[in-house]
C-alpha cells in the first residue's frame, strides 16, 4: 500500500473477468548494482524522522475490490458445519519460547494504519519490516540489533524511484537454500518494484539491488522463493494486483524473477503474465533446505468462493528462452471437503463500534510449502489459510494442508519415494490433493489475519489475530502435529499480554498481512509476527514477534498414510473385490525399523488382511477388508494402526456400502392429477431403503422431454425452485441414488397449477386488507437508520408505476430501512392467503447472480419477538433475484436487487401458513457504504392488498 497522505482506500464496484495472455512479457531490470555495506549506509543516514503520532493516524491505502459472488445461501448454511471445529481439541498448543515486542507506530512517521507487519528468520536473526522501516533482532535474546531503519535505505546510492521513495508494502524474506536475505518494496513513482538481495547471510552487509518497472500500478506485491533440484525452475516469485490510472482493477500479475542471476548480482530478467482474474492470490513459497522434485513448476494459489474450490496456476519456466515460459491456460481446481463462505464482515472489538477489515478476499501471506526427503509421508506439503464464516457467523481460520506430488519418476506403489525425487525431468506441474483441512472457530470470537507454515516433521503452526465485542484484539498461536486428529487444531496460546487494547480510529484497516516462518537452524521452531494494540487508542499500534515449537519435532518418527483415498464407496451387487487401501509408513528424521499393522473397529462379519505385515519403514502394505463387499448398506468407519516400539500411529478409514440399487420411491403430494396447485409447489415422496439422495424432475410432458425444474436432495421433499407457468399441467417424478448409481424412476404424477392471486374452484376470494396509499399513512410506520428512509412520494419516472406510493432510493451510504404495515388479522378458516402489490426494485448488483444492496420481505406473526424472513419459495410472480454477498446486511439470503423482466410487476406472495394469526409485513431495504444501481433505483410499492380464499 503506497504511503500517500490523503488517498482513501478505494472499493471498486465490480471486478471484471480478465483473460491473461498465453505469452509472457519478458522484462529486464531497468537498473541494478551492488550496495555499500548496510552498516555503513545506516551510519550515514540523517537523524530519524519525527516519531509517528497516535492521534489521527494516516491511512496506508490499499485498493480493495468488493467481494465477488458466493454461491452458498443461508438455506445451505448447514452444509458448512461438518468442516468447522466448534470445540477445543483438549491438547494444548506449544507455549511461546520467545515473545517480545517488535516495532510500533513511532517507526512509521508521522503515524500510519495498518503496519503491514511481516518478517523472517535466519540462522541468527529475525528481521521485521513494517511499512516504512525495518529492524533486526537477535533471535536468542529478542534484543534489537539494528533499527528501526527506513525501508528505502536498501537503495541509498542506487538512484531513481527506489531510492527517493519509501512507499511500503514491504517484504522481508529469507532464502533458506541460498542463505540470503531478499528484501522488497514498491515505489509508486514509475510503478516500480524494488528488490535487494544480500550478498551473504549478513543482513548488515552488501546487497545486490534491482529495479523493475510495470506498465500499471502493482499493489499488494507478495514475494516467494521457489527451487527445483535441476535449477531450471528456480525463481523469486511475485504477485501484484494491477490497477490502471483510473484505479480500475486490470487483473493480478503472476511474475517470476531470475533467481540465479540475482544471487550473483548479474543482469536479470523476469517473466510476467498479467491480466489474471485472481484478486487475493498468493505465490507458493518453498521453505526448508530441500528443493522441489526435478522440473517442478512454481505455482500460485487462490480459492473460488462460488464453488468452494482451491485454484492453482502453474508457471513453467524456460530461462533459456524466457518468452517460451507458460502459465496454465485454466487453473487446476481442488475441491474443499466441505463448502465454505469467506468472512467479509468487519471484525468487532471491545469498547468501540469501529470494526476491522477481515480480509476475506485473500489467501493470506505466505502460502508456505516444504519439500521432504525420500521415504517421507509426502514429497511436498503446502499449507494455506484464509478467513471464513464459522458456525456462529463469526470469522474462523480456514486452513488447508495440501500434498504436492511430482508425476515422475514412476515407481511401484510399494516403493513410492524410495528412488528419490531427483530424476531428469522436463518442466511439469505438480499434482495437488488435500491431505487435511479444517476451520478453527472454537468459540464466538473472530479469528483472522493468519499466518501458517509446515515444519520438518510435517507439523503445522498457525498464528492469527482474535477479537470480538467482548475482547480486545490479541495475537494467538496454535497448530497441529502430523498425527493429531484430522481436521483439528490444538487449544490456542497467546503471545500478547493478558491486557490489550482496541483500535478506535474509524479506519477499519488491520494487517494488511502477517507472516509465519520456520527457523532454518532447526527446521522446527515457528516464528510469527503480527500487530496488536497494547492499550486502546486511535493508532498507537505495536507488533509482536513470537516463536514456538512442537516437542517431537526433529526426533525420528513415522506417519501412517494411505496412497489411495481414505474413503471408499462400493456397490455390493456389482463389486468383484473387497475394498482395499494402499497403506504406507512414511518416515521422518531417519526413522527406520519394522512397523506392525493392525486395525480396530472393523465391521462385524469382516476380517482385516495385509499383504505385508510387519513392514520395514519406509514401506507399504495393502490392507484388504475381507468380506467388505458383502456388508449391508451403510456407512462404516474404522482405524488402521501402525506400531513400532513406543510409537503407535493411527489412520482413520471410511467405507460407504450400498448393497443394491435403490428402488423407485412412491410419490405422496401433490396427489396425481391435482388441480389448483401453487406455482412454486412443495413435492414430497416416501423414503426408499438404501437411498442416499434423490433427483426430482418437473416437466411439461409425460415423456419428460422438456424438464423445466430439477433438484437434488437428501430428504423426502423438495420445493420447486422456479415459478411455474399458471394454469398449466406439469408432470413430476423422483429417482433415488446410492453407491450403485441411479435407481429407477418413480411413476410419474401430474398436477395443474392455479393462477397466483386467484382462488381455487370451490373457494371464494375475500380481501382482508387493502391500501392504495392515496389516502395518507394509514397506520404504516418506518424504522431503521442510515441515509434516506421510506417516504410516501410520487412514482419516479421509469418505474412504470403511477400516483402516490411508498418508496426508498438505493442509498450510497450504509443503511437498514424498514417499512412496516399495520397489523393484519388473517382468518383461521382461510384455505389460502395471498399478499399482492405492484412494485419496482433495483439495487446495486454483485454480478448476474448476486446482490450487495438489497431488498427483502419479512413478517411478524402473533407475539413473535421480531420479524422473520419470507423465503424464495413464497415469491410466486416476482422471485428474489440474487444472493446477498458476505459482509452485507442480509448476507447469505436471497433478495431483490435486479430489475424484474417487465416493470412494474405484480408481486404475489404466499402467506398460507399464517392463516389464523395477526401479522405485520416489513419491507426491508439495506445498503452498504458505496455504490448504487443506475437510476431509477431503489424500491417502490403500490396498490397493496391481502386476499384470502375461504
Amino acid at each position: 500500500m503506497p504511503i500517500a497522505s490523503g488517498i482513501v482506500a478505494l472499493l471498486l464496484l465490480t471486478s471484471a473477468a480478465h483473460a491473461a495472455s498465453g505469452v509472457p512479457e519478458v522484462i529486464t531490470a531497468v537498473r541494478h548494482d551492488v550496495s555499500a555495506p548496510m552498516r555503513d549506509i545506516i551510519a550515514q543516514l540523517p537523524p530519524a524522522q519525527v516519531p509517528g503520532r497516535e492521534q489521527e493516524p494516516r491511512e496506508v491505502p490499499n485498493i480493495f475490490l468488493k467481494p465477488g459472488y458466493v454461491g452458498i445461501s443461508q438455506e445451505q448454511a448447514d452444509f458448512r458445519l461438518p468442516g468447522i471445529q466448534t470445540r477445543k481439541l483438549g491438547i494444548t498448543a506449544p507455549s511461546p519460547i520467545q515473545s517480545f515486542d517488535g516495532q510500533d507506530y513511532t517507526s512509521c512517521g508521522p503515524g500510519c494504519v495498518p503496519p503491514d507487519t511481516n518478517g523472517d528468520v535466519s540462522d541468527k536473526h529475525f528481521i521485521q519490516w513494517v511499512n516504512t522501516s525495518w529492524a533486526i533482532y537477535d533471535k536468542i535474546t529478542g534484543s534489537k540489533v539494528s533499527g528501526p531503519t527506513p525501508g528505502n535505505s536498501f537503495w541509498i546510492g542506487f538512484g531513481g524511484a527506489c531510492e527517493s521513495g519509501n512507499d511500503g508494502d514491504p517484504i522481508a524474506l529469507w532464502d533458506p537454500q541460498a542463505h540470503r536475505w531478499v528484501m522488497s518494496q514498491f515505489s509508486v513513482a514509475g510503478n516500480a518494484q524494488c528488490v535487494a538481495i544480500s550478498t551473504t547471510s549478513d543482513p548488515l552487509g552488501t546487497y545486490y539491488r534491482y529495479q523493475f518497472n510495470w506498465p500499471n500500478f502493482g499493489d499488494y506485491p507478495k514475494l516467494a522463493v521457489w527451487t527445483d533440484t535441476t535449477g531450471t525452475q528456480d525463481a523469486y516469485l511475485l504477485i501484484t494486483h494491477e490497477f490502471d490510472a483510473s484505479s480500475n482493477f486490470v487483473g493480478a500479475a503472476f511474475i517470476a524473477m531470475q533467481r540465479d542471476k540475482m544471487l550473483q548480482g548479474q543482469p536479470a530478467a523476469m517473466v510476467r503474465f498479467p491480466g489474471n482474474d485472481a484478486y487475493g492470490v498468493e505465490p507458493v513459497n518453498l521453505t526448508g533446505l530441500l528443493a522441489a522434485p526435478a522440473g517442478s513448476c512454481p505455482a500460485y494459489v487462490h480459492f473460488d468462493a462460488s464453488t468452494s474450490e482451491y485454484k492453482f496456476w502453474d508457471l513453467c519456466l524456460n530461462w533459456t528462452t524466457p518468452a517460451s515460459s507458460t502459465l496454465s491456460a485454466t487453473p487446476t481446481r481442488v475441491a474443499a471437503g466441505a463448502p465454505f463462505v469467506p468472512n467479509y464482515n468487519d471484525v468487532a472489538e471491545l469498547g468501540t463500534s469501529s470494526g476491522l477489515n477481515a480480509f476475506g478476499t485473500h489467501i493470506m501471506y505466505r502460502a508456505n510449502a516444504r519439500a521432504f526427503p525420500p521415504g517421507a509421508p509426502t514429497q511436498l506439503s503446502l499449507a494455506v489459510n484464509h478467513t471464513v464464516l464459522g458456525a456462529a457467523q463469526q470469522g474462523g481460520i480456514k486452513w488447508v494442508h495440501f500434498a504436492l506430488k511430482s508425476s515422475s519418476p514412476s515407481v511401484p506403489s510399494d516403493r513410492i519415494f524410495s528412488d528419490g525425487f531427483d530424476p531428469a525431468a522436463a518442466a511439469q506441474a505438480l499434482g495437488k490433493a488435500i491431505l487435511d483441512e479444517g476451520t478453527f472457530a472454537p468459540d464466538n470470537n473472530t479469528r483472522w489475519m493468519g499466518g501458517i507454515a509446515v515444519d520438518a516433521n510435517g507439523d503445522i503452526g498457525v498464528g492469527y489475530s482474535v477479537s470480538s465485542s467482548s475482547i480486545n484484539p490479541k495475537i494467538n498461536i496454535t497448530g497441529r502435529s502430523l498425527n493429531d486428529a484430522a481436521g483439528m487444531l490444538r487449544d490456542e496460546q497467546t503471545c500478547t499480554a493478558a491486557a490489550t487494547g482496541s483500535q478506535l480510529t474509524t479506519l477499519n484497516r488491520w494487517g494488511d498481512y502477517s507472516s509465519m516462518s520456520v527457523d532454518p537452524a532447526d527446521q522446527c521452531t515457528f516464528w510469527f509476527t503480527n500487530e496488536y494494540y497494547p492499550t486502546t487508542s486511535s493508532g498507537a499500534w505495536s507488533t509482536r514477534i513470537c516463536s514456538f515449537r512442537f516437542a517431537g519435532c526433529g526426533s525420528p518418527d513415522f506417519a501412517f498414510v494411505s496412497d489411495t483415498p481414505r474413503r471408499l464407496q462400493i456397490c455390493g451387487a456389482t463389486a468383484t473385490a473387497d475394498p482395499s487401501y494402499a497403506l504406507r509408513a512414511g518416515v521422518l528424521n531417519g526413522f527406520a525399523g519394522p512397523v506392525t499393522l493392525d486395525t480396530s473397529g472393523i465391521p462385524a462379519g469382516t476380517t482385516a488382511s495385509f499383504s505385508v505385515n510387519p513392514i520395514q519403514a519406509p514401506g507399504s502394505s495393502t490392507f484388504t477388508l475381507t468380506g467388505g463387499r458383502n456388508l449391508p448398506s451403510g456407512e462404516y468407519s474404522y482405524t488402521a494402526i501402525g506400531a513400532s516400539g513406543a510409537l503407535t500411529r493411527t489412520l482413520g478409514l471410511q467405507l460407504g456400502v450400498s448393497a443394491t440399487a435403490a428402488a423407485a420411491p412412491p410419490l405422496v403430494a401433490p396427489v396425481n392429477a391435482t388441480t389448483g396447485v401453487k406455482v412454486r409447489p412443495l413435492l414430497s415422496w416416501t423414503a426408499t431403503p438404501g437411498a442416499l439422495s434423490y433427483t426430482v424432475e418437473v416437466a411439461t410432458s409425460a415423456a419428460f422431454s422438456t424438464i423445466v425444474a430439477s433438484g437434488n436432495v437428501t430428504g423426502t421433499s423438495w420445493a420447486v425452485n422456479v415459478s411455474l407457468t399458471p394454469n398449466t399441467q406439469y408432470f413430476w417424478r423422483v429417482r433415488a441414488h446410492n453407491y450403485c448409481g441411479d435407481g429407477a424412476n418413480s411413476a410419474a404424477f401430474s398436477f395443474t397449477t392455479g393462477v397466483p392471486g386467484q382462488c381455487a374452484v370451490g373457494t371464494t376470494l375475500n380481501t382482508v386488507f387493502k391500501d392504495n396509499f392515496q389516502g395518507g399513512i394509514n397506520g404504516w410506520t418506518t424504522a431503521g437508520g442510515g441515509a434516506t428512509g421510506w417516504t410516501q412520494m410520487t412514482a419516479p419516472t421509469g418505474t412504470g408505476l403511477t400516483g402516490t406510493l411508498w418508496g426508498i432510493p438505493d442509498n450510497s451510504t450504509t443503511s437498514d430501512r424498514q417499512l412496516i404495515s399495520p397489523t393484519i388479522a388473517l382468518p383461521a378458516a382461510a384455505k389460502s392467503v395471498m399478499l399482492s402489490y405492484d412494485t419496482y426494485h433495483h439495487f446495486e448488483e454483485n454480478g448476474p447472480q448476486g446482490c450487495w444492496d438489497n431488498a427483502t420481505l419479512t413478517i411478524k406473526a402473533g407475539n413473535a419477538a421480531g420479524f422473520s424472513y419470507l423465503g424464495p419459495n413464497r415469491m410466486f410472480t416476482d422471485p428474489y433475484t440474487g444472493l446477498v454477498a458476505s459482509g452485507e446486511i442480509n448476507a447469505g439470503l436471497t433478495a431483490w436487487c435486479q430489475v424484474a423482466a417487465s416493470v412494474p410487476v405484480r408481486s404475489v406472495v404466499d402467506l398460507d401458513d399464517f392463516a389464523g394469526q395477526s401479522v405485520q409485513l416489513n419491507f426491508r431495504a439495506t445498503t452498504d457504504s458505496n455504490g448504487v444501481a443506475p437510476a431509477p433505483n431503489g424500491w417502490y410499492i403500490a396498490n397493496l392488498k391481502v386476499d384470502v380464499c375461504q
Side-chain angles (χ1 to χ4, degrees), residues 211-433:
Q211 177 182 333
F212 297 92
N213 290 350
W214 317 131
N216 294 298
F217 170 53
D219 195 20
Y220 203 74
K222 292 295 168 281
L223 191 65
V225 178
W226 187 261
T227 62
D228 78 311
T229 56
T230 67
T232 59
Q233 299 301 306
D234 289 7
Y236 290 126
L237 306 177
L238 187 71
I239 65 96
T240 60
H241 296 151
E242 299 209 321
F243 295 85
D244 64 18
S246 299
S247 293
N248 296 312
F249 181 54
V250 293
F254 299 160
I255 299 163
M257 297 181 284
Q258 204 165 7
R259 175 178 175 270
D260 61 339
K261 300 293 185 183
M262 298 174 77
L263 287 172
Q264 301 175 63
Q266 298 177 0
M270 65 164 54
V271 294
R272 175 177 174 272
F273 289 88
N276 298 279
D277 190 10
Y279 182 82
V281 69
E282 277 291 322
V284 174
N285 178 60
L286 187 61
T287 64
L289 303 179
L290 298 179
S296 298
C297 300
Y300 304 78
V301 61
H302 202 4
F303 59 81
D304 185 339
S306 67
T307 60
S308 293
E309 292 176 307
Y310 292 91
K311 303 190 293 184
F312 289 86
W313 293 262
D314 299 289
L315 199 167
C316 293
L317 293 161
N318 182 339
W319 288 121
T320 303
T321 310
S324 298
S325 300
T326 62
L327 180 72
S328 309
T330 58
T332 298
R333 291 176 174 266
V334 180
F340 59 80
V341 175
N343 178 32
Y344 303 134
N345 303 315
D346 278 357
V347 180
E349 306 175 85
L350 176 64
T352 176
S353 60
S354 297
L356 304 173
N357 191 337
F359 244 72
T361 50
H362 289 54
I363 289 283
M364 297 311 299
Y365 180 73
R366 306 176 183 106
N368 279 317
R370 173 178 291 272
F372 288 91
T378 62
Q379 282 185 311
L380 289 97
S381 283
L382 165 66
V384 304
N385 86 98
H386 56 111
T387 182
V388 301
L389 291 178
Q393 300 295 293
Q394 81 281 40
I397 297 292
K398 172 70 176 178
W399 58 272
V400 188
H401 184 187
F402 293 94
L404 308 182
K405 185 176 180 181
S406 171
S407 60
S408 61
S410 177
V411 298
S413 60
D414 64 344
R415 293 190 297 112
I416 194 163
F417 304 140
S418 61
D419 292 337
F421 297 157
D422 301 334
Q428 58 174 319
L430 291 167
K432 291 95 178 172

Side-chain angles (χ1 to χ4, degrees), residues 422-441:
D422 301 334
Q428 58 174 319
L430 291 167
K432 291 95 178 172
I434 292 179
L435 284 175
D436 198 9
E437 61 183 311
T439 295
F440 188 61

Side-chain angles (χ1 to χ4, degrees), residues 157-209:
F158 188 53
C162 293
E163 180 176 2
S164 62
N166 190 24
D167 293 337
D169 245 8
I171 296 295
L173 188 65
W174 174 251
D175 183 337
Q177 295 176 51
H179 288 258
R180 305 284 190 89
W181 285 102
V182 185
M183 316 296 281
S184 183
Q185 70 174 8
F186 64 28
S187 176
V188 176
N191 298 330
Q193 189 69 35
C194 311
V195 183
I197 300 171
S198 63
T199 60
T200 68
S201 62
D202 181 6
L204 294 175
T206 56
Y207 283 77
Y208 297 129
R209 306 186 292 191

Side-chain angles (χ1 to χ4, degrees), residues 19 43 69 82 84 118 180 255 274 367 409 437 461 484 500 510 642 645 653 689 725-726 753 804 834 939:
Y69 170 72
I84 298 175
N118 77 103
R180 305 284 190 89
I255 299 163
E437 61 183 311
D484 282 347
T500 57
W510 187 270
L653 302 172
T725 304
T753 52
T804 301
M834 299 169 288
W939 196 8

Side-chain angles (χ1 to χ4, degrees), residues 502-525:
S502 291
Q503 177 177 290
L504 294 181
T505 176
T506 55
L507 303 174
N508 74 338
R509 305 289 296 286
W510 187 270
D512 282 332
Y513 43 105
S514 63
S515 66
M516 180 72 80
S517 309
V518 177
D519 199 316
D522 62 8
Q523 300 298 315
C524 289
T525 302

